[in-house]
């Protein structure tokens, strides 16, 4: 939408400053907003012509999370971001430790590293679908920005002097630690490999369901 960053996130909804700031932080947009001269009043061009693919993906995710829906359908939301941002979004948005914890989440993925944490996995392979219901493994967030006792969130300062384009938003380990060799059952790590099964015609949907099956 050819409008400000804030209006792209609100998408016609009322502005709730505390919720807005939580969403911006969780979707790893705080650093981008602080680095843009106009902050969240920066104009996004038509079709996001003036922002990167990763910024587009995180902006779309923020718009979705801000809606406070009961059911979320996410189409491969981690595909356009790098490893440490993937981990940040998993910790703070998608998994039970994040803002969508307690909601029904249907997530299309091309990699299998988060599937053990789902209630249900739907796999499409050569035109056939298989459904697996499972007891999800317990997910251990590395660093969660919403776990503090206080709900107070400081507004983002567009005049921030930090100009680093890729600065970490939370005290997570560097991307190098999110390696392909990380075990799925590790208690404190979650690998974020760039596994891509599209060439074999395989696609998976992970579903987290704390309410009911649909």
């Amino acid at each position: 939408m050819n409008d400000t960053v804030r209006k792209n996130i609100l998408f016609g909804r009322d502005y709730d400053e505390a919720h807005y700031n939580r969403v911006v932080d969780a979707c790893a947009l705080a650093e981008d907003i602080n680095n843009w001269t106009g902050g969240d009043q920066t104009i996004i061009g038509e079709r996001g012509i003036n922002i990167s693919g990763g910024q587009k993906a995180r902006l779309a995710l923020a718009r979705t999370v801000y809606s406070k829906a009961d059911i979320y359908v996410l189409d491969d939301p981690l595909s356009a971001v790098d490893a440490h941002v993937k981990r940040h979004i998993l910790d703070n948005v998608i998994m039970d430790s994040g803002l969508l914890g307690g909601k029904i989440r249907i997530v299309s993925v091309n990699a299998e590293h988060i599937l053990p944490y789902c209630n249900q996995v739907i796999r499409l392979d050569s035109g056939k679908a298989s459904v697996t219901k499972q007891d999800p493994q317990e997910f251990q967030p590395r660093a969660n920005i919403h776990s503090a006792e206080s709900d107070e969130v400081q507004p983002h300062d567009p005049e921030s002097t930090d100009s680093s384009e890729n600065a970490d938003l939370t005290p997570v380990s560097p991307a190098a630690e999110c390696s392909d060799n990380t075990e799925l059952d590790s208690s404190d790590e979650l690998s974020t490999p760039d596994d891509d099964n599209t060439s074999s015609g395989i696609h998976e949907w992970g579903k987290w369901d704390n309410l009911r099956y649909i």
Side-chain angles (χ1 to χ4, degrees):
M1 185 169 69
N2 187 17
D3 212 324
T4 65
V5 172
R6 180 182 294 186
K7 288 186 177 180
N8 268 275
I9 294 174
L10 300 183
F11 212 57
R13 298 179 178 87
D14 293 336
Y15 176 60
D16 178 338
E17 182 177 6
H19 179 55
Y20 175 84
N21 286 330
R22 282 192 289 267
V23 169
V24 165
D25 285 334
C27 295
L29 280 169
E31 190 69 27
D32 301 277
I33 289 175
N34 286 333
N35 286 334
W36 288 326
T37 303
D40 67 357
Q41 297 304 307
T42 300
I43 299 295
I44 302 299
E46 192 68 32
R47 297 182 180 274
I49 192 172
N50 56 337
I51 58 177
S52 70
Q55 289 168 334
K56 289 179 187 178
R58 287 179 282 125
L59 190 62
L61 181 63
R63 179 187 305 133
T64 301
V65 176
Y66 189 83
S67 68
K68 296 184 179 180
D70 293 322
I71 301 173
Y72 290 84
V73 180
L74 306 177
D75 184 8
D76 211 0
L78 305 175
S79 62
V81 297
D82 59 26
H84 77 279
V85 176
K86 285 180 183 180
R87 180 63 200 232
H88 178 94
I89 291 174
L90 284 171
D91 286 355
N92 296 289
V93 178
I94 296 175
M95 308 304 280
D96 285 340
S97 56
L99 291 181
L100 301 188
K103 304 296 182 72
I104 296 177
R105 290 143 283 167
I106 303 172
V107 185
S108 169
V109 295
N110 283 315
E112 299 185 358
H113 56 282
I114 64 174
L115 297 183
Y117 305 96
C118 304
N119 297 81
Q120 183 173 324
V121 178
I122 304 171
R123 175 186 288 259
L124 296 182
D125 188 358
S126 302
K128 296 181 179 180
S130 63
V131 180
T132 303
K133 295 182 180 180
Q134 62 187 24
D135 292 326
Q137 295 182 17
E138 182 179 357
F139 178 75
Q140 297 294 335
R142 187 180 297 172
N144 186 278
I145 60 178
H146 307 292
S147 59
E149 294 181 0
S150 173
D151 289 333
E152 294 182 6
V153 180
Q154 296 299 320
H156 302 294
D157 181 7
E159 301 300 325
S160 171
T161 57
D162 184 358
S163 60
S164 173
E165 293 182 359
N166 298 308
D168 288 351
L169 301 176
T170 57
V172 299
S173 302
E177 294 190 7
C178 298
S179 65
D180 292 356
N181 297 322
T182 305
E183 296 294 334
L184 284 175
D185 59 354
S186 171
S187 63
D188 61 353
E189 295 288 342
L190 177 67
S191 62
T192 54
D194 294 325
D195 300 335
D196 191 342
N197 294 323
T198 54
S199 59
S200 62
I202 299 174
H203 209 70
E204 285 100 9
W205 281 263
K207 186 163 78 68
W208 290 261
D209 187 344
N210 295 316
L211 302 175
R212 61 186 182 281
Y213 285 110
I214 60 172

